[in-house]
Amino acid sequence: MIRYFLPLFIAVSLLVNPLTKVGAELKLWISSFQDQSYYEQMGELYRQKTGKELDLMVEAYGFREMPDKLGAVMRTGEGAPDLVQLDETFFGVFLNGPSPFSDLTQKIRKSKLNKTLHPRRLEVFTYDKKTYGVPQSLSALVLYYRKDLFDDFDIKPEDITTWEDFARVGEGLMDNQGQRFLALDGTLFDSLLRQKGTDLFDKGGNFLPDEQVAVSILSEFAKMAEKQIAVMPDRGSIFDPVFFSGDLEMGEVLCVIGADWYGLDLFQQFAPGMEGMWGMLPLPTWKKTDGSLGPRTASFAGQGLMIMNSSEKQEEAWGFIEFVMTDPDANAERFLQGNSFPAYLPAWKDPRLLGVQPYFQESMGKLLVELADEIPPVVVNPGRPQAIFLMKENFFSSAMYGSLSPEDTIKQMREAMKAGFGGPSED
């Protein structure tokens, strides 16, 4: 209920204790239309709590539109914002030359955000020992599953610990009920790599440093696809609104992998009628060579706030970022308004983040806190965006549907990366 009373609280506070004329003007570009209301409210909350003058102008663009918009202002040098919200998936696009973003490393240390933000999340906006962005979400992956249909098919969540378990249960489900188990697409490939102990790049910039693991993951999911245990959505994306209104609402699959913001935002936006039907579990994992279990999560995507080098209001921009990252109400509202679970560790004690999430009718916060220490690190590289989208758009479906073997998929992807990105030679 707090999300509904916060704007009223701000308005009343301003009437009781009116501020001086609004002075500092900051332009913020965000890459999520759903976040616009949140940041407009945060501008007002900042003024009310700090007493500082601020006129925050928020302009929202699409997730994929933002890199193009930034590229255009970098070419022309005109119309740049002071602050930008950018998804980590696209961060590498801006690492091939001088960064358009300010180095925030010292500011982060001075504010102690280097100690209070989850280290795995700060890493995704850090390159060459400089941190350019402040993460607004934990972005830990969980397995969303149909609680009602698990009951109908007598599937016990505790029986699914590893991906081997998942394939076994899924095969029985398909053989006995003709029911598909999991929907996924290629954007999650790099997350699965990290869950199994490697990444798209190593710290030396080498692409797919553990090819054997990459092939094994493709092989494992290709076998599940052949048996119709794991399938790709008809339109190829688990982020398509039609996937929610079609595959999920029709019960075509019982599980989908997604980060915190996937459940808080997309589920509730595109499948509002399914409230209470979905639950959350740790990801199935793999066993390590010593027999112990690997991490039960990984991270995927998530927005960060950055300051443009061209901004003449560096300190004012940082003041707003620091406030929005550390203020208890700002962190709670980010979660309550369906944006994301914050990466700010002190906020995790807030009962507003740990209580029952209405859509899922269980606590998302408690599960995410439980999994947070298991999030594997991300190796940031200028080629990462290209690799993620090449796998999704060009190669994952070929491996899943058997038109390319897993080995040939990796081979062709290496060739595509060499042709399209001037990275280090791997010969």
Side-chain angles (χ1 to χ4, degrees):
M1 294 298 293
I2 291 173
R3 63 181 291 188
Y4 300 108
F5 292 123
L6 184 63
L8 180 61
F9 165 75
I10 294 169
V12 171
S13 298
L14 290 173
L15 289 173
V16 173
N17 182 29
L19 300 173
T20 56
K21 181 180 178 182
V22 173
E25 182 180 281
L26 290 177
K27 184 187 294 184
L28 167 64
W29 284 5
I30 60 174
S31 56
S32 168
F33 292 105
Q34 288 72 31
D35 286 359
Q36 182 159 7
S37 175
Y38 168 77
Y39 276 109
E40 288 171 347
Q41 290 180 27
M42 290 307 103
E44 294 294 336
L45 189 64
Y46 174 86
R47 292 179 60 211
Q48 187 274 318
K49 285 199 172 186
T50 68
K52 295 180 180 179
E53 301 174 7
L54 175 67
D55 184 10
L56 185 68
M57 299 182 299
V58 184
E59 298 180 20
Y61 301 96
F63 169 74
R64 293 199 181 198
E65 186 182 3
M66 180 60 75
D68 293 335
K69 292 287 295 183
L70 288 175
V73 299
M74 287 170 64
R75 289 191 296 273
T76 64
E78 298 179 358
D82 300 289
L83 290 160
V84 63
Q85 178 200 58
L86 184 70
D87 193 273
E88 64 159 279
T89 309
F90 292 108
F91 178 51
V93 170
F94 300 95
L95 298 177
N96 281 310
S99 173
F101 310 121
S102 299
D103 178 7
L104 303 178
T105 308
Q106 293 306 317
K107 286 181 167 63
I108 289 170
R109 288 176 181 168
K110 185 176 179 180
S111 67
K112 300 200 169 34
L113 282 171
N114 61 317
K115 303 293 185 182
T116 53
L117 285 169
H118 196 290
R120 296 288 83 83
R121 300 309 296 157
L122 270 176
E123 288 173 351
V124 301
F125 296 110
T126 300
Y127 184 67
D128 197 21
K129 299 182 180 179
K130 296 178 180 179
T131 302
Y132 296 100
V134 183
Q136 70 174 37
S137 67
L138 186 65
S139 295
L141 291 172
V142 299
L143 185 72
Y144 295 100
Y145 75 103
R146 281 286 297 269
K147 292 186 285 189
D148 56 335
L149 295 181
F150 265 46
D151 288 340
D152 289 347
F153 294 125
D154 195 28
I155 301 171
K156 294 178 175 56
E158 58 269 22
D159 291 340
I160 303 173
T161 301
T162 65
W163 282 113
E164 183 179 4
D165 296 334
F166 190 89
R168 174 179 48 77
V169 172
E171 186 170 5
L173 185 65
M174 192 66 200
D175 289 346
N176 298 323
Q177 306 290 341
Q179 172 68 57
R180 298 167 172 175
F181 205 19
L182 175 71
L184 78 164
D185 69 38
T187 50
L188 297 174
F189 178 67
D190 76 313
S191 300
L192 294 170
L193 282 173
R194 292 193 298 278
Q195 196 192 10
K196 205 169 183 180
T198 183
D199 207 342
L200 287 170
F201 296 87
D202 63 17
K203 291 182 179 180
N206 299 299
F207 179 58
L208 291 179
D210 195 328
E211 184 171 311
Q212 184 177 354
V213 169
V215 169
S216 72
I217 291 172
L218 289 178
S219 298
E220 198 165 335
F221 283 92
K223 289 176 182 176
M224 282 195 266
E226 185 179 7
K227 297 176 180 178
Q228 291 287 290
I229 298 167
V231 295
M232 296 184 67
D234 290 340
R235 288 161 51 132
S237 174
I238 61 172
F239 305 99
D240 190 324
V242 175
F243 169 68
F244 291 86
S245 60
D247 292 12
L248 295 190
E249 289 195 344
M250 296 298 292
E252 291 294 321
V253 292
L254 306 190
C255 303
V256 62
I257 302 168
D260 49 64
W261 49 262
Y262 188 86
L264 290 169
D265 182 355
L266 301 188
F267 258 107
Q268 298 179 51
Q269 182 183 175
F270 299 129
M274 301 188 78
E275 181 174 332
M277 295 182 181
W278 289 91
M280 296 162 285
L281 294 169
L283 284 191
T285 186
W286 284 281
K287 287 184 178 180
K288 299 179 182 179
T289 53
D290 63 3
S292 64
L293 293 178
R296 299 173 297 159
T297 189
S299 59
F300 175 71
Q303 312 279 12
L305 290 176
M306 303 169 185
I307 301 174
M308 298 294 289
N309 269 331
S310 57
S311 174
E312 297 178 355
K313 300 165 185 173
Q314 298 282 322
E315 294 307 315
E316 293 89 344
W318 173 251
F320 178 73
I321 288 179
E322 188 175 22
F323 172 81
V324 125
M325 288 295 116
T326 61
D327 181 77
D329 290 328
N331 278 285
E333 285 298 309
R334 197 174 307 134
F335 178 72
L336 295 170
Q337 293 190 27
N339 297 335
S340 60
F341 189 82
Y344 185 62
L345 303 178
W348 294 3
K349 297 179 181 179
D350 191 326
R352 291 175 289 181
L353 277 73
L354 300 177
V356 171
Q357 209 289 326
Y359 184 88
F360 295 101
Q361 297 179 5
E362 58 186 76
S363 174
M364 173 183 282
K366 288 180 180 178
L367 176 60
L368 294 173
V369 170
E370 176 189 338
L371 296 174
D373 287 343
E374 299 182 40
I375 297 174
V378 175
V379 178
V380 177
N381 186 279
R384 187 169 176 245
Q386 182 184 1
I388 290 172
F389 289 105
L390 269 175
M391 178 55 80
K392 180 188 183 299
E393 304 292 345
N394 297 77
F395 294 107
F396 192 73
S397 60
S398 297
M400 286 284 282
Y401 296 137
S403 57
L404 281 176
S405 70
E407 293 81 4
D408 285 341
T409 299
I410 297 302
K411 179 181 178 181
Q412 291 194 21
M413 191 171 173
R414 283 190 182 279
E415 292 171 354
M417 286 294 292
K418 287 180 180 179
F421 170 68
S425 171
E426 301 177 46
D427 295 334

